[in-house]
Amino acid sequence: MSSFQPGSLSSKPYVDPTPLPDSVPPVPELGVSSAPLKSAAFFIGAYCKEFNDDFMLCKSENRDPAHCLKEGRRVTRCATDLITKMRENCLQQFDAHWNCLEKHNQEYYHCRKPERTLNACMFEKLGLTKTIPGSPAGQTPIHEVTSPVFKSIQK
């Protein structure tokens, strides 16, 4: 037999029981969900390549999470900077693309049309191109194929 137990939600604000030490300066969060991050992922990879490489080298040197906080903050600041620039320069295209990803289970192939307009805007305004790491040389990248096999409506 079960008995009544009060809910776990509290009206008090959450206080982190293990806060960072004062020697670690805080970095504001990006403030976006997974769909905008996925929409901007390839651009973040290109724009923040140096910071990402430094962070990954640091992580391979030492598995202690505190060891790479400085590099991690740099990556977060770089990503925040790019998201801000995307919103300032290509807001309509960025919103259209990540909303499409949100509605279609984060699948890129459903959202190629808004992706093309976002890619064009990013190149025109910020000079960034979408390149997929490890894609075969000499072949048309999947996001530039005009008549793909996989479409949102299969025949």
Side-chain angles (χ1 to χ4, degrees), residues 25-27 33 40 49 52 74 91 121 133:
V27 176
S33 64
K49 183 172 176 35
N52 287 332
R74 288 181 182 149
L91 178 64
C121 180

Side-chain angles (χ1 to χ4, degrees), residues 22-33:
D22 292 333
S23 62
V24 178
V27 176
E29 296 290 328
L30 284 175
V32 294
S33 64

Side-chain angles (χ1 to χ4, degrees), residues 111-148:
C111 304
R112 295 295 183 200
K113 195 175 207 178
E115 181 181 358
R116 286 188 185 102
T117 60
L118 176 63
N119 292 346
C121 180
M122 291 294 289
F123 180 72
E124 181 184 314
K125 304 265 177 89
L126 299 175
L128 294 173
T129 58
K130 177 178 177 177
T131 53
I132 301 174
S135 56
Q139 290 185 0
T140 305
I142 189 66
H143 61 280
E144 294 178 2
V145 173
T146 54
S147 57

Side-chain angles (χ1 to χ4, degrees), residues 100 104 109-112 148-155:
C100 181
H104 292 100
Y109 71 90
H110 289 289
C111 304
R112 295 295 183 200
V149 174
F150 294 107
K151 300 179 183 178
S152 35
I153 299 176
Q154 298 293 320
K155 292 182 180 181

Side-chain angles (χ1 to χ4, degrees), residues 2 13 15 17 34 43 61 78 85 88 109 111 122 142-143 145:
S2 64
V15 177
S34 60
F43 299 114
E61 290 171 0
C78 181
K85 286 181 179 180
E88 289 171 354
Y109 71 90
C111 304
M122 291 294 289
I142 189 66
H143 61 280
V145 173

Side-chain angles (χ1 to χ4, degrees), residues 15-136:
V15 177
D16 187 3
T18 56
L20 290 173
D22 292 333
S23 62
V24 178
V27 176
E29 296 290 328
L30 284 175
V32 294
S33 64
S34 60
L37 281 176
K38 188 165 184 172
S39 177
F42 291 101
F43 299 114
I44 291 173
Y47 187 76
C48 303
K49 183 172 176 35
E50 296 168 14
F51 299 115
N52 287 332
D53 290 346
D54 286 346
F55 179 73
M56 294 309 293
L57 281 172
C58 180
K59 292 296 283 183
S60 67
E61 290 171 0
N62 191 335
R63 295 188 50 90
D64 178 23
H67 179 69
C68 300
L69 286 175
K70 183 170 72 172
E71 289 81 2
R73 285 193 303 273
R74 288 181 182 149
V75 172
T76 304
R77 283 190 193 110
C78 181
T80 303
D81 182 45
L82 180 64
I83 296 285
T84 303
K85 286 181 179 180
M86 288 177 76
R87 286 179 175 157
E88 289 171 354
N89 294 295
C90 301
L91 178 64
Q92 191 174 21
Q93 294 88 345
F94 181 49
D95 283 349
H97 187 241
W98 75 258
N99 279 319
C100 181
L101 289 172
E102 187 77 26
K103 290 177 187 171
H104 292 100
N105 200 27
Q106 311 281 339
E107 297 284 350
Y108 279 119
Y109 71 90
H110 289 289
C111 304
R112 295 295 183 200
K113 195 175 207 178
E115 181 181 358
R116 286 188 185 102
T117 60
L118 176 63
N119 292 346
C121 180
M122 291 294 289
F123 180 72
E124 181 184 314
K125 304 265 177 89
L126 299 175
L128 294 173
T129 58
K130 177 178 177 177
T131 53
I132 301 174
S135 56

